[in-house]
Amino acid sequence: MRQALFLGTLAISFLAANPQARAVGCLSGGAAGALAGHMAGHGVLGAIGGCIAGHAWKQHQLREDAYQSRQQYDAARRAQNPSYQSPWSY
């Protein structure tokens, strides 16, 4: 029963994961959460919580990378053209 519940939860997690995150955050967070939950006697709940937290963290990292990319692009454009106005600033 536990294995079926875990596999079902894992399948739903894969389907719900954002394609940009490529489920890396969910898998790593789920593994860590399952281990911590197993120690506390709640492995499946730990895996679900870890998956959610890991996915959110991966999304945060992707947003930070995109922000850094935009800043580097803007800096390069300003070096070429000092009157350049960034399309991302309001």
Side-chain angles (χ1 to χ4, degrees), residues 1-85:
M1 178 66 185
R2 278 187 173 183
Q3 187 177 12
L5 182 61
F6 178 73
L7 292 176
T9 303
L10 187 63
I12 290 171
S13 299
F14 277 128
L15 293 174
N18 189 341
Q20 257 188 341
R22 294 180 186 82
V24 172
C26 181
L27 290 175
S28 61
L35 179 63
H38 175 71
M39 296 299 184
H42 301 286
V44 175
L45 291 176
I48 293 169
C51 176
I52 292 168
H55 180 71
W57 179 252
K58 184 65 177 176
Q59 286 297 98
H60 171 74
Q61 287 178 329
L62 288 173
R63 273 191 244 102
E64 286 292 318
D65 291 344
Y67 180 71
Q68 291 295 328
S69 240
R70 286 190 302 243
Q71 285 185 331
Q72 290 171 353
Y73 175 78
D74 285 345
R77 287 293 304 265
R78 273 193 217 99
Q80 292 174 354
N81 181 7
S83 64
Y84 171 73
Q85 293 293 324

